[in-house]
Amino acid sequence: TFSASAAKNPTSLTAVCYTPTRHLFLIISQSLLMNQMQRILSARRLSHSIIPQSCFLHRRWFATSETDASSPPLMLRRPQKIQTLEDKASNKSRSTASTTSSLNEQELAKFSAIADTWWHSEGPFKPLHLMNPTRLAFIRSTLCRHFSKDPSSARPFEGLRLIDVGCGGGLLSEPLARMGATVTGIDAVDKNVKIARLHADMDPMTSKIEYQCTTAEKLVDEGRTFDAVLALEVIEHVANPAEFCNSLSALTIPNGATILSTINRSMRAYASAIVAAEYILQWLPKGTHEWSSFLTTEELTMILQRASIDVKEMAGFVYNPITGRWLLSDDISVNFIAYGTKKE
Amino acid sequence: MNRVLARQLRTNVCGSKHIFQRACSTHVTRKVSSTAGSNESNANSTGDSPQHDIAIVGGGMVGIALAASLASKPLTKHLNVAIIDNNPLLGRKNIIEKGHLPDPRVSTVTPATISFLKDIGAWKYIEEQRHAYFDKMQVWDYTGLGYTRYNAKDVDQDILGCVVENKVLQSSQLSCVQESDLQKTIYPARLNSMDMLPSSSLTGLGEVPSTADLFMRGRLAKLELSDGNNVYAKLVVGADGSKSRVRELAGIKTTGWNYSQNAIICTVEHTVENFTAWQRFLPNGPIALLPVGDKFSNIVWTMDPTEASDRRSMSEDDFIKAVNDALDYGYGPHPEITSSGGSSLSWLTGDVNISAKERFETPPKVVKLSSERMMFPLSLRHAKDYVSNRVALVGDSAHTVHPLAGQGVNLGFADASALSRAIAEGIALGTDIGEVRMLAWILTL
């Protein structure tokens, strides 16, 4: 049943940014509207900033010649939901042949085109740079608790081996390395890995990060294991979340920690990501989002459970359009992050 | 002490420049300690270019407060900090002999500042020195139309503030820094120039980047000092006063103006001890009488520049007479009526200000001048931005204000507190601490 909902549209990630619209409707004030539009439009770019992190892109539903690498990041293409029998057949063969990981080449090309801007904190990925501390705060506090590390230490993760699956430009890997961890970052996009490498080498604190252009599945085959496995905003891009979780589980040592974040398949996410953004405000072409492809918290908990990972904690990320900031909250109805432990 | 003097007189170019030059000695007090805490600092230095996490330019009250605050936090105490200041006293243990006459350069610290100083461990040193808590204030003006009184009890506090000599504030914090594990290097020099390149990440990669490499890639700021040393740091903090060189070199613009007023400061003596802060508004500016402990008080008298020069050069007896006059019947009568503010606005304020109904009092008479009279011009200056690429401004370099409300250095301490908190948060979240905009963002969380 998961494979049915697993046909992922990478662009569906744009939903990440639509939390603001929810707030927008709460504040139906003409005077605020323009201001909010600005903020939300900039927040929208978040989606693109996250996309390159995905390293498991299976766009089996789409024709393969659609994406244009030179298209600017904000111009999301409208997915064509036309599926021919041939496509189906070829997809089938591809997916069976590719338990390793089959990637959509056009998507890779698109990401490479925008990868250069990864590290401009005032650039198009600014919203992601802004969201990053919020994610890191959650990761830091949960891993400190899990591994009984001193949270008041400058380098609490000293001695821990962490893997950042879908590392992108290294936005998560570098802070983790500064916190003392031995970090491996993997991404299926070669250019991302190169950028991450170049950037990490500029600071002695991060130059020891191991970056690889590979996939979780390949590392499982190599028999690699880690104390903690992180896959943020990745699972919504994978063809088979259950298999993906199995790989994450296999990479985690017994009693190790696994952290995932994604978008909930809730009415709120639907309202903000699809109704508001596509139909009312028309920021995106209609049909951009594949709401059905999101996982609910319950579904994610279940597939992690099946992969021998007990979910211990969940938290939501809420975007405040007034301050332009992301905050951790109990509200897991749109964006959420989950922390679990691997069973012995 | 010269340094403190220089800070206080920072806007007085002639006076302070002269003192600066004199204070710039060739005696180099450099302490480089390297503990295992920071595995990178100084590790990659090539040749004679030391690399620090943070370079604080200006070792005055606010700059030292930042260092002391960093030293007191578990997340930041491992940092490698450079303090760049040409005051030769900075490197030594400052012992202020007991029984000295109070210095005219004093600060009124607020309860918020006191709690900050307690947090960083400096307050215990201050309590060993002369300091004067006050719990009452009286403010009135020369027209005799009204006055107001404040009492700490009105707001369920024990004190309204505490007057401390600047050199006591500074040396107490310096003691904290010296006793801490913070890796600190004091460079007794002035800042000549500052360079930082834009973050040009992706070109010319070496295998193990040297300090120069890191500078070339915009990961470090380079400071050239007056003694010929080059210092590299991830973050440069401008704590160098209202004429901040760091602010100038960073190209941060300011807005503001000069008040056509000078302030005269001095220490005076009474026959009884003073426990109240007094302030009277005169036609040309306010005069304040602040308790500094024992039977001493501090005078801050604002007036127009020509009047100020006259009052500074007049005989001591005439000056004391002028002060007593200004605090009593000079320029106008005592307020006759009890303050009406309470009654007419009581429906608004809930009549909480019980002290407003207290009788007007006359300040204690000044009997003796106990220090030289110092004069400095007043101005307002506000930096348009407190941060730029790898630069943060604190204290007077970010905002210079009129002394009448006694807020100047309190704002500076608040800056030091906020910046050290942001740096700690940044380290907790694995940020490059030179990414000041990220720190600024974290600060507002």
Side-chain angles (χ1 to χ4, degrees), chain A residues 258-292:
Chain A
T258 309
I259 294 180
L260 288 103
S261 71
T262 184
I263 308 160
N264 203 337
R265 193 175 76 251
S266 66
M267 286 315 291
R268 288 259 296 279
Y270 182 80
S272 51
I274 297 171
V275 177
E278 294 178 17
Y279 288 86
I280 299 174
L281 298 169
Q282 299 189 354
W283 288 331
L284 292 174
K286 295 182 184 72
T288 299
H289 296 118
E290 195 68 58
W291 181 61
S292 64

mmCIF file of all heavy atoms in Angstrom, chain A residues 258-292:
data_model
loop_
_atom_site.group_PDB
_atom_site.id
_atom_site.type_symbol
_atom_site.label_atom_id
_atom_site.label_comp_id
_atom_site.label_asym_id
_atom_site.label_seq_id
_atom_site.Cartn_x
_atom_site.Cartn_y
_atom_site.Cartn_z
ATOM 1 N N THR A 258 17.746 7.308 15.149
ATOM 2 C CA THR A 258 17.391 7.671 13.780
ATOM 3 C C THR A 258 16.502 8.909 13.842
ATOM 4 O O THR A 258 15.593 8.968 14.665
ATOM 5 C CB THR A 258 16.620 6.536 13.088
ATOM 6 O OG1 THR A 258 17.351 5.326 13.259
ATOM 7 C CG2 THR A 258 16.442 6.817 11.615
ATOM 8 N N ILE A 259 16.793 9.890 13.012
ATOM 9 C CA ILE A 259 15.978 11.104 12.994
ATOM 10 C C ILE A 259 15.528 11.385 11.561
ATOM 11 O O ILE A 259 16.336 11.384 10.632
ATOM 12 C CB ILE A 259 16.752 12.314 13.568
ATOM 13 C CG1 ILE A 259 17.029 12.076 15.059
ATOM 14 C CG2 ILE A 259 15.970 13.607 13.369
ATOM 15 C CD1 ILE A 259 17.789 13.183 15.739
ATOM 16 N N LEU A 260 14.230 11.569 11.399
ATOM 17 C CA LEU A 260 13.679 11.883 10.080
ATOM 18 C C LEU A 260 12.788 13.106 10.186
ATOM 19 O O LEU A 260 12.151 13.331 11.205
ATOM 20 C CB LEU A 260 12.796 10.734 9.571
ATOM 21 C CG LEU A 260 13.455 9.447 9.122
ATOM 22 C CD1 LEU A 260 13.286 8.412 10.193
ATOM 23 C CD2 LEU A 260 12.842 8.996 7.823
ATOM 24 N N SER A 261 12.727 13.874 9.110
ATOM 25 C CA SER A 261 11.713 14.925 9.078
ATOM 26 C C SER A 261 11.036 14.909 7.715
ATOM 27 O O SER A 261 11.626 14.506 6.716
ATOM 28 C CB SER A 261 12.332 16.293 9.368
ATOM 29 O OG SER A 261 13.117 16.707 8.284
ATOM 30 N N THR A 262 9.776 15.315 7.691
ATOM 31 C CA THR A 262 9.023 15.315 6.439
ATOM 32 C C THR A 262 7.771 16.175 6.599
ATOM 33 O O THR A 262 7.677 16.959 7.543
ATOM 34 C CB THR A 262 8.680 13.864 6.004
ATOM 35 O OG1 THR A 262 8.030 13.884 4.748
ATOM 36 C CG2 THR A 262 7.786 13.173 7.025
ATOM 37 N N ILE A 263 6.825 16.022 5.664
ATOM 38 C CA ILE A 263 5.583 16.789 5.724
ATOM 39 C C ILE A 263 4.434 15.832 6.002
ATOM 40 O O ILE A 263 4.356 14.749 5.417
ATOM 41 C CB ILE A 263 5.301 17.499 4.389
ATOM 42 C CG1 ILE A 263 6.522 18.294 3.952
ATOM 43 C CG2 ILE A 263 4.085 18.401 4.501
ATOM 44 C CD1 ILE A 263 6.490 18.590 2.477
ATOM 45 N N ASN A 264 3.554 16.242 6.863
ATOM 46 C CA ASN A 264 2.405 15.426 7.225
ATOM 47 C C ASN A 264 1.364 15.419 6.094
ATOM 48 O O ASN A 264 1.235 16.392 5.365
ATOM 49 C CB ASN A 264 1.769 16.001 8.485
ATOM 50 C CG ASN A 264 0.975 14.966 9.234
ATOM 51 O OD1 ASN A 264 0.532 13.965 8.659
ATOM 52 N ND2 ASN A 264 0.794 15.201 10.511
ATOM 53 N N ARG A 265 0.616 14.328 5.992
ATOM 54 C CA ARG A 265 -0.484 14.328 5.042
ATOM 55 C C ARG A 265 -1.760 14.680 5.820
ATOM 56 O O ARG A 265 -2.592 13.846 6.105
ATOM 57 C CB ARG A 265 -0.639 12.964 4.362
ATOM 58 C CG ARG A 265 -1.576 13.026 3.144
ATOM 59 C CD ARG A 265 -1.645 11.726 2.390
ATOM 60 N NE ARG A 265 -2.454 10.722 3.061
ATOM 61 C CZ ARG A 265 -1.977 9.653 3.646
ATOM 62 N NH1 ARG A 265 -0.681 9.419 3.651
ATOM 63 N NH2 ARG A 265 -2.775 8.791 4.239
ATOM 64 N N SER A 266 -1.870 15.929 6.186
ATOM 65 C CA SER A 266 -2.998 16.364 7.002
ATOM 66 C C SER A 266 -3.877 17.322 6.212
ATOM 67 O O SER A 266 -3.485 17.811 5.153
ATOM 68 C CB SER A 266 -2.484 17.082 8.243
ATOM 69 O OG SER A 266 -1.855 18.277 7.847
ATOM 70 N N MET A 267 -5.053 17.580 6.734
ATOM 71 C CA MET A 267 -5.917 18.554 6.086
ATOM 72 C C MET A 267 -5.253 19.928 6.094
ATOM 73 O O MET A 267 -5.405 20.700 5.162
ATOM 74 C CB MET A 267 -7.276 18.636 6.804
ATOM 75 C CG MET A 267 -8.175 17.448 6.545
ATOM 76 S SD MET A 267 -8.213 16.971 4.801
ATOM 77 C CE MET A 267 -9.085 18.378 4.102
ATOM 78 N N ARG A 268 -4.533 20.204 7.160
ATOM 79 C CA ARG A 268 -3.861 21.502 7.233
ATOM 80 C C ARG A 268 -2.818 21.630 6.137
ATOM 81 O O ARG A 268 -2.704 22.666 5.487
ATOM 82 C CB ARG A 268 -3.200 21.672 8.602
ATOM 83 C CG ARG A 268 -4.162 21.890 9.742
ATOM 84 C CD ARG A 268 -4.219 23.363 10.119
ATOM 85 N NE ARG A 268 -2.952 23.852 10.629
ATOM 86 C CZ ARG A 268 -2.540 23.668 11.881
ATOM 87 N NH1 ARG A 268 -3.293 23.011 12.737
ATOM 88 N NH2 ARG A 268 -1.401 24.148 12.275
ATOM 89 N N ALA A 269 -2.045 20.560 5.967
ATOM 90 C CA ALA A 269 -1.040 20.601 4.916
ATOM 91 C C ALA A 269 -1.727 20.732 3.560
ATOM 92 O O ALA A 269 -1.270 21.461 2.676
ATOM 93 C CB ALA A 269 -0.182 19.340 4.962
ATOM 94 N N TYR A 270 -2.849 20.032 3.414
ATOM 95 C CA TYR A 270 -3.597 20.112 2.165
ATOM 96 C C TYR A 270 -4.085 21.538 1.938
ATOM 97 O O TYR A 270 -3.921 22.105 0.857
ATOM 98 C CB TYR A 270 -4.782 19.147 2.215
ATOM 99 C CG TYR A 270 -5.587 19.117 0.937
ATOM 100 C CD1 TYR A 270 -5.147 18.369 -0.154
ATOM 101 C CD2 TYR A 270 -6.766 19.840 0.821
ATOM 102 C CE1 TYR A 270 -5.868 18.355 -1.324
ATOM 103 C CE2 TYR A 270 -7.495 19.825 -0.348
ATOM 104 C CZ TYR A 270 -7.045 19.086 -1.423
ATOM 105 O OH TYR A 270 -7.755 19.077 -2.588
ATOM 106 N N ALA A 271 -4.648 22.108 2.978
ATOM 107 C CA ALA A 271 -5.205 23.450 2.853
ATOM 108 C C ALA A 271 -4.120 24.464 2.539
ATOM 109 O O ALA A 271 -4.286 25.320 1.670
ATOM 110 C CB ALA A 271 -5.924 23.835 4.143
ATOM 111 N N SER A 272 -3.004 24.353 3.219
ATOM 112 C CA SER A 272 -1.982 25.370 3.003
ATOM 113 C C SER A 272 -1.179 25.105 1.748
ATOM 114 O O SER A 272 -0.852 26.030 1.010
ATOM 115 C CB SER A 272 -1.069 25.462 4.228
ATOM 116 O OG SER A 272 -0.595 24.198 4.581
ATOM 117 N N ALA A 273 -0.884 23.850 1.472
ATOM 118 C CA ALA A 273 0.003 23.552 0.356
ATOM 119 C C ALA A 273 -0.722 23.538 -0.980
ATOM 120 O O ALA A 273 -0.159 23.917 -1.999
ATOM 121 C CB ALA A 273 0.690 22.212 0.585
ATOM 122 N N ILE A 274 -1.944 23.079 -0.977
ATOM 123 C CA ILE A 274 -2.602 22.878 -2.270
ATOM 124 C C ILE A 274 -3.707 23.900 -2.499
ATOM 125 O O ILE A 274 -3.664 24.667 -3.456
ATOM 126 C CB ILE A 274 -3.108 21.436 -2.381
ATOM 127 C CG1 ILE A 274 -1.885 20.506 -2.332
ATOM 128 C CG2 ILE A 274 -3.896 21.244 -3.672
ATOM 129 C CD1 ILE A 274 -2.182 19.052 -2.221
ATOM 130 N N VAL A 275 -4.671 23.952 -1.597
ATOM 131 C CA VAL A 275 -5.794 24.864 -1.828
ATOM 132 C C VAL A 275 -5.319 26.307 -1.875
ATOM 133 O O VAL A 275 -5.569 27.041 -2.826
ATOM 134 C CB VAL A 275 -6.868 24.685 -0.730
ATOM 135 C CG1 VAL A 275 -7.993 25.683 -0.934
ATOM 136 C CG2 VAL A 275 -7.387 23.259 -0.742
ATOM 137 N N ALA A 276 -4.599 26.687 -0.868
ATOM 138 C CA ALA A 276 -4.182 28.086 -0.778
ATOM 139 C C ALA A 276 -3.146 28.431 -1.836
ATOM 140 O O ALA A 276 -3.317 29.368 -2.609
ATOM 141 C CB ALA A 276 -3.640 28.376 0.615
ATOM 142 N N ALA A 277 -2.096 27.658 -1.874
ATOM 143 C CA ALA A 277 -0.965 28.030 -2.708
ATOM 144 C C ALA A 277 -1.240 27.869 -4.193
ATOM 145 O O ALA A 277 -0.792 28.662 -5.009
ATOM 146 C CB ALA A 277 0.252 27.212 -2.316
ATOM 147 N N GLU A 278 -1.984 26.827 -4.522
ATOM 148 C CA GLU A 278 -2.163 26.576 -5.950
ATOM 149 C C GLU A 278 -3.436 27.201 -6.498
ATOM 150 O O GLU A 278 -3.442 27.723 -7.598
ATOM 151 C CB GLU A 278 -2.188 25.065 -6.201
ATOM 152 C CG GLU A 278 -0.852 24.416 -5.895
ATOM 153 C CD GLU A 278 -0.891 22.915 -6.100
ATOM 154 O OE1 GLU A 278 -1.828 22.447 -6.768
ATOM 155 O OE2 GLU A 278 -0.002 22.240 -5.569
ATOM 156 N N TYR A 279 -4.519 27.106 -5.720
ATOM 157 C CA TYR A 279 -5.793 27.540 -6.271
ATOM 158 C C TYR A 279 -6.139 28.970 -5.920
ATOM 159 O O TYR A 279 -6.609 29.729 -6.755
ATOM 160 C CB TYR A 279 -6.911 26.584 -5.823
ATOM 161 C CG TYR A 279 -6.796 25.262 -6.524
ATOM 162 C CD1 TYR A 279 -5.973 24.270 -6.016
ATOM 163 C CD2 TYR A 279 -7.465 25.042 -7.722
ATOM 164 C CE1 TYR A 279 -5.823 23.065 -6.666
ATOM 165 C CE2 TYR A 279 -7.327 23.840 -8.390
ATOM 166 C CZ TYR A 279 -6.508 22.847 -7.861
ATOM 167 O OH TYR A 279 -6.355 21.679 -8.521
ATOM 168 N N ILE A 280 -5.908 29.364 -4.690
ATOM 169 C CA ILE A 280 -6.313 30.715 -4.298
ATOM 170 C C ILE A 280 -5.253 31.733 -4.674
ATOM 171 O O ILE A 280 -5.503 32.696 -5.379
ATOM 172 C CB ILE A 280 -6.614 30.766 -2.784
ATOM 173 C CG1 ILE A 280 -7.769 29.811 -2.476
ATOM 174 C CG2 ILE A 280 -6.957 32.195 -2.360
ATOM 175 C CD1 ILE A 280 -8.088 29.655 -1.021
ATOM 176 N N LEU A 281 -4.046 31.510 -4.216
ATOM 177 C CA LEU A 281 -3.008 32.504 -4.466
ATOM 178 C C LEU A 281 -2.295 32.258 -5.790
ATOM 179 O O LEU A 281 -1.622 33.141 -6.298
ATOM 180 C CB LEU A 281 -2.006 32.496 -3.306
ATOM 181 C CG LEU A 281 -2.647 32.873 -1.969
ATOM 182 C CD1 LEU A 281 -1.704 32.605 -0.818
ATOM 183 C CD2 LEU A 281 -3.051 34.342 -1.978
ATOM 184 N N GLN A 282 -2.430 31.059 -6.295
ATOM 185 C CA GLN A 282 -1.837 30.672 -7.579
ATOM 186 C C GLN A 282 -0.349 30.966 -7.657
ATOM 187 O O GLN A 282 0.146 31.464 -8.665
ATOM 188 C CB GLN A 282 -2.590 31.371 -8.718
ATOM 189 C CG GLN A 282 -4.043 30.962 -8.717
ATOM 190 C CD GLN A 282 -4.794 31.441 -9.941
ATOM 191 O OE1 GLN A 282 -4.268 32.181 -10.763
ATOM 192 N NE2 GLN A 282 -6.021 30.993 -10.082
ATOM 193 N N TRP A 283 0.325 30.695 -6.578
ATOM 194 C CA TRP A 283 1.776 30.835 -6.612
ATOM 195 C C TRP A 283 2.402 29.697 -7.401
ATOM 196 O O TRP A 283 3.513 29.792 -7.889
ATOM 197 C CB TRP A 283 2.332 30.796 -5.185
ATOM 198 C CG TRP A 283 2.030 32.010 -4.408
ATOM 199 C CD1 TRP A 283 1.844 33.261 -4.899
ATOM 200 C CD2 TRP A 283 1.873 32.099 -3.005
ATOM 201 N NE1 TRP A 283 1.592 34.118 -3.883
ATOM 202 C CE2 TRP A 283 1.602 33.437 -2.705
ATOM 203 C CE3 TRP A 283 1.934 31.184 -1.968
ATOM 204 C CZ2 TRP A 283 1.397 33.883 -1.410
ATOM 205 C CZ3 TRP A 283 1.737 31.630 -0.688
ATOM 206 C CH2 TRP A 283 1.466 32.965 -0.401
ATOM 207 N N LEU A 284 1.678 28.606 -7.426
ATOM 208 C CA LEU A 284 2.200 27.428 -8.100
ATOM 209 C C LEU A 284 1.153 26.936 -9.073
ATOM 210 O O LEU A 284 -0.044 27.158 -8.871
ATOM 211 C CB LEU A 284 2.484 26.323 -7.078
ATOM 212 C CG LEU A 284 3.616 26.588 -6.120
ATOM 213 C CD1 LEU A 284 3.675 25.489 -5.079
ATOM 214 C CD2 LEU A 284 4.932 26.676 -6.861
ATOM 215 N N PRO A 285 1.594 26.274 -10.119
ATOM 216 C CA PRO A 285 0.625 25.702 -11.048
ATOM 217 C C PRO A 285 -0.239 24.683 -10.316
ATOM 218 O O PRO A 285 0.239 23.970 -9.441
ATOM 219 C CB PRO A 285 1.507 25.005 -12.089
ATOM 220 C CG PRO A 285 2.880 25.502 -11.873
ATOM 221 C CD PRO A 285 2.969 25.976 -10.469
ATOM 222 N N LYS A 286 -1.500 24.638 -10.719
ATOM 223 C CA LYS A 286 -2.381 23.643 -10.100
ATOM 224 C C LYS A 286 -1.845 22.241 -10.379
ATOM 225 O O LYS A 286 -1.378 21.961 -11.477
ATOM 226 C CB LYS A 286 -3.793 23.788 -10.656
ATOM 227 C CG LYS A 286 -4.423 25.118 -10.272
ATOM 228 C CD LYS A 286 -5.844 25.215 -10.806
ATOM 229 C CE LYS A 286 -6.445 26.588 -10.502
ATOM 230 N NZ LYS A 286 -5.863 27.668 -11.319
ATOM 231 N N GLY A 287 -1.898 21.437 -9.395
ATOM 232 C CA GLY A 287 -1.435 20.063 -9.577
ATOM 233 C C GLY A 287 0.023 19.858 -9.215
ATOM 234 O O GLY A 287 0.570 18.775 -9.382
ATOM 235 N N THR A 288 0.673 20.883 -8.725
ATOM 236 C CA THR A 288 2.072 20.751 -8.350
ATOM 237 C C THR A 288 2.252 19.722 -7.239
ATOM 238 O O THR A 288 3.199 18.953 -7.230
ATOM 239 C CB THR A 288 2.621 22.102 -7.862
ATOM 240 O OG1 THR A 288 2.509 23.018 -8.937
ATOM 241 C CG2 THR A 288 4.072 21.979 -7.439
ATOM 242 N N HIS A 289 1.323 19.734 -6.323
ATOM 243 C CA HIS A 289 1.510 18.890 -5.148
ATOM 244 C C HIS A 289 0.806 17.561 -5.252
ATOM 245 O O HIS A 289 -0.314 17.483 -5.728
ATOM 246 C CB HIS A 289 0.990 19.618 -3.909
ATOM 247 C CG HIS A 289 1.772 20.841 -3.637
ATOM 248 N ND1 HIS A 289 1.217 22.081 -3.652
ATOM 249 C CD2 HIS A 289 3.081 20.999 -3.381
ATOM 250 C CE1 HIS A 289 2.165 22.966 -3.398
ATOM 251 N NE2 HIS A 289 3.298 22.337 -3.238
ATOM 252 N N GLU A 290 1.487 16.587 -4.779
ATOM 253 C CA GLU A 290 0.919 15.258 -4.689
ATOM 254 C C GLU A 290 0.662 15.003 -3.215
ATOM 255 O O GLU A 290 1.472 14.425 -2.518
ATOM 256 C CB GLU A 290 1.927 14.248 -5.246
ATOM 257 C CG GLU A 290 1.349 12.895 -5.540
ATOM 258 C CD GLU A 290 0.377 12.912 -6.703
ATOM 259 O OE1 GLU A 290 0.767 13.323 -7.808
ATOM 260 O OE2 GLU A 290 -0.792 12.526 -6.488
ATOM 261 N N TRP A 291 -0.471 15.514 -2.785
ATOM 262 C CA TRP A 291 -0.772 15.443 -1.369
ATOM 263 C C TRP A 291 -0.737 14.004 -0.856
ATOM 264 O O TRP A 291 -0.258 13.701 0.216
ATOM 265 C CB TRP A 291 -2.155 16.060 -1.118
ATOM 266 C CG TRP A 291 -2.554 16.065 0.309
ATOM 267 C CD1 TRP A 291 -1.921 16.701 1.332
ATOM 268 C CD2 TRP A 291 -3.668 15.408 0.890
ATOM 269 N NE1 TRP A 291 -2.570 16.504 2.516
ATOM 270 C CE2 TRP A 291 -3.659 15.702 2.268
ATOM 271 C CE3 TRP A 291 -4.697 14.592 0.386
ATOM 272 C CZ2 TRP A 291 -4.625 15.219 3.132
ATOM 273 C CZ3 TRP A 291 -5.656 14.122 1.249
ATOM 274 C CH2 TRP A 291 -5.621 14.426 2.605
ATOM 275 N N SER A 292 -1.250 13.115 -1.711
ATOM 276 C CA SER A 292 -1.335 11.717 -1.292
ATOM 277 C C SER A 292 0.029 11.094 -1.055
ATOM 278 O O SER A 292 0.151 10.041 -0.459
ATOM 279 C CB SER A 292 -2.082 10.915 -2.343
ATOM 280 O OG SER A 292 -1.330 10.940 -3.548
#
